[in-house]
Amino acid sequence: MEKIVALSKRRGFIFQSSEIYGGLASTYDYGHYGTLLKNNVKAEWWRSVVQERDDVVGLDAAILMHPKTWEASGHLESFSDPLVQCNGKCKKRWREDHLQEDLGEGEELRCPECGGELSDPREFNLMFETFMGPVQDDQARVYLRPETAQGIFVNFKNVMQTARKKPPFGIAQIGKAFRNEITPGHFIFRTREFEQMEIEFFVPPDEAEKWFKHWLKERERWYSDLGIRPDYLRMREHGKEELSHYSTGTSDVEYLFPIGWSELEGVANRTDYDLSRHAEFSGEKLEYFDQQSGERYVPYVIEPSAGADRATLAFFVDAYDEEEIEGRKRTVLRLHPRLAPVKASVLPLVSKDGLSEIAKDVYAEIRKVCPSEFDEGGSIGRRYRRQDEIGTPFGITIDYQTKDDQTVTLRDRDSLEQERVASAELPELLDKKWKEDWQPPKLNQ
Ligand code: ATP
């Protein structure tokens, strides 16, 4: 993880938030390449669950919602985690369930920091609250949403009517969520402000099991199609004691992070709990009525809920590789070309003798088809190392031969193979290459 954090900072993927003031704990800002990478993760998710399906539509709900939402959802009452405080030296607070998970059932819990005794667990509300308008009283209290899901549930009726959909159909949303986590950490794995990518898929109750399985498979496939190594990915079914009271089944997609196997995404059968609760608290009927059959029911919900930051971290970690080429160490991010922040770099061998000008012309054409970079500063080897570290899959070098025959070299990031191609064919070739099926190379790590 240290190598990832160092590379993030060195190449401008992710910075500590408010660093000049000493930083804000567990809060991060995405720099240029980090923003591009996370945007690509979100775009690929959207492409897979909305664009390529006929049964899911999009939504972008507000972060602030009517406070009753959180009564109905149960967050006000139960969005609290049992918290224990160290009575020993360090006085740190910990999530009791996390400590228990790390240790295993039955083991006596001690403070992981100083080994001190722990207090009895206390409830702690994880929602951030703020006030709407100038007066800070109970009437004005609102919450920063702790999940995007509720914005979908409260819009169920609006969307079903306007999108002309009937179950089975889903609503997808990407957006920020906030949780006052007690033990954030491990870089962007667990933070207090993060982004979720959630689908609420509404189904006839008797089809819930079938769709639950469908989404488990789909979501696992998404990660592996984008290059996550299959032996670093697994599905873990929740035991009965782990299930929320309303869920009849939950499985986590887990990834083998440097901190061990950890949740990447949760897929849950939430039954009709959410719609029924919002119907009860709002007085609105939230059900499906089939005019032809006269059938009426509250749909069950299958929820695949992923974290955009956590997925970005997984792709980042999974792609990180080091190798030795002719006695020199090379760090390379073997990202799927679809996820790579920059798809192609255009590098003149030297910046004199008119090569720079030719390279600029090539670059002008290539950037029309894919995110690209032009770089003429420093030795060619250094420029390639920089591109390898940000995961650029295709490198184009303009050399003296280009002047004679208008061909360039096209270098493959992973195999380091170089081929000579006509520069006029590059835009079409690259446009195809970065979108085509891609086989992840074997890593050295
Ligand atoms: P955890 O136990 O790891 O805190 P959770 O089970 O509370 O996660 P869910 O409520 O199921 O998480 O949220 C769905 C997804 O949102 C998670 O799988 C994760 O990818 C992401 N997520 C949740 N909390 C955080 C967080 N604090 N920071 C970053 N991502 C998060």
Side-chain angles (χ1 to χ4, degrees), residues 179 181 189-191 194 196 263-266 305-307 310:
R179 295 182 189 176
E181 300 275 8
F189 178 82
R190 184 174 287 107
T191 50
F194 56 98
Q196 288 190 310
E263 175 179 336
L264 196 48
E265 167 161 357
S305 170
R310 216 176 265 189

Side-chain angles (χ1 to χ4, degrees), residues 102-319:
D102 290 346
L103 266 184
E105 286 301 321
E107 291 288 319
E108 196 207 347
L109 298 183
R110 309 286 301 190
C111 173
E113 183 86 4
C114 70
E117 248 180 55
L118 297 170
S119 69
D120 287 337
R122 256 178 304 154
E123 299 287 289
F124 178 85
N125 194 326
L126 289 182
M127 278 203 291
F128 278 94
E129 55 181 54
T130 185
F131 298 92
M132 221 157 159
V135 184
Q136 302 204 350
D137 61 12
D138 279 351
Q139 303 292 315
R141 192 185 308 274
V142 288
Y143 300 91
L144 303 187
R145 65 180 177 198
E147 60 179 28
T148 60
Q150 301 304 324
I152 298 181
F153 295 130
V154 302
N155 276 295
F156 167 75
K157 206 168 157 183
N158 281 338
V159 173
M160 188 166 63
Q161 284 168 352
T162 53
R164 295 184 299 131
K165 295 281 177 210
K166 60 181 207 177
F169 83 99
I171 305 176
Q173 169 166 238
I174 299 177
K176 288 263 181 171
F178 302 82
R179 295 182 189 176
N180 204 354
E181 300 275 8
I182 296 122
T183 48
H186 303 303
F187 198 31
I188 54 168
F189 178 82
R190 184 174 287 107
T191 50
R192 297 193 172 101
E193 173 179 347
F194 56 98
E195 238 174 321
Q196 288 190 310
M197 309 187 288
E198 293 196 300
I199 306 159
E200 305 305 325
F201 199 78
F202 303 96
V203 300
D206 58 357
E207 291 181 21
E209 195 48 34
K210 178 180 108 186
W211 286 104
F212 178 61
K213 291 199 177 113
H214 166 87
W215 279 107
L216 281 180
K217 240 177 52 214
E218 272 301 290
R219 296 305 305 144
E220 192 179 12
R221 187 175 65 83
W222 184 76
Y223 290 102
S224 54
D225 280 357
L226 285 172
I228 297 273
R229 288 163 289 172
D231 37 342
Y232 279 64
L233 202 60
R234 73 175 187 196
M235 304 299 290
R236 189 183 66 83
E237 199 180 330
H238 282 207
K240 282 230 153 46
E241 68 298 340
E242 259 182 288
L243 288 179
S244 323
H245 63 277
Y246 49 80
S247 176
T248 57
T250 299
S251 284
D252 288 343
V253 183
E254 292 192 334
Y255 176 70
L256 187 52
F257 283 96
I259 52 170
W261 285 103
S262 310
E263 175 179 336
L264 196 48
E265 167 161 357
V267 181
N269 177 351
R270 298 175 64 113
T271 70
D272 59 359
Y273 175 78
D274 306 276
L275 289 183
S276 302
R277 290 279 290 192
H278 284 299
E280 182 190 332
F281 279 72
S282 67
E284 282 279 343
K285 270 200 175 123
L286 299 178
E287 57 184 24
Y288 172 66
F289 175 61
D290 189 327
Q291 285 186 330
Q292 267 158 10
S293 67
E295 193 191 5
R296 188 185 287 280
Y297 62 85
V298 179
Y300 269 36
V301 173
I302 308 302
E303 178 195 74
S305 170
D309 311 85
R310 216 176 265 189
T312 301
L313 181 62
F315 288 120
F316 202 148
V317 167
D318 205 72

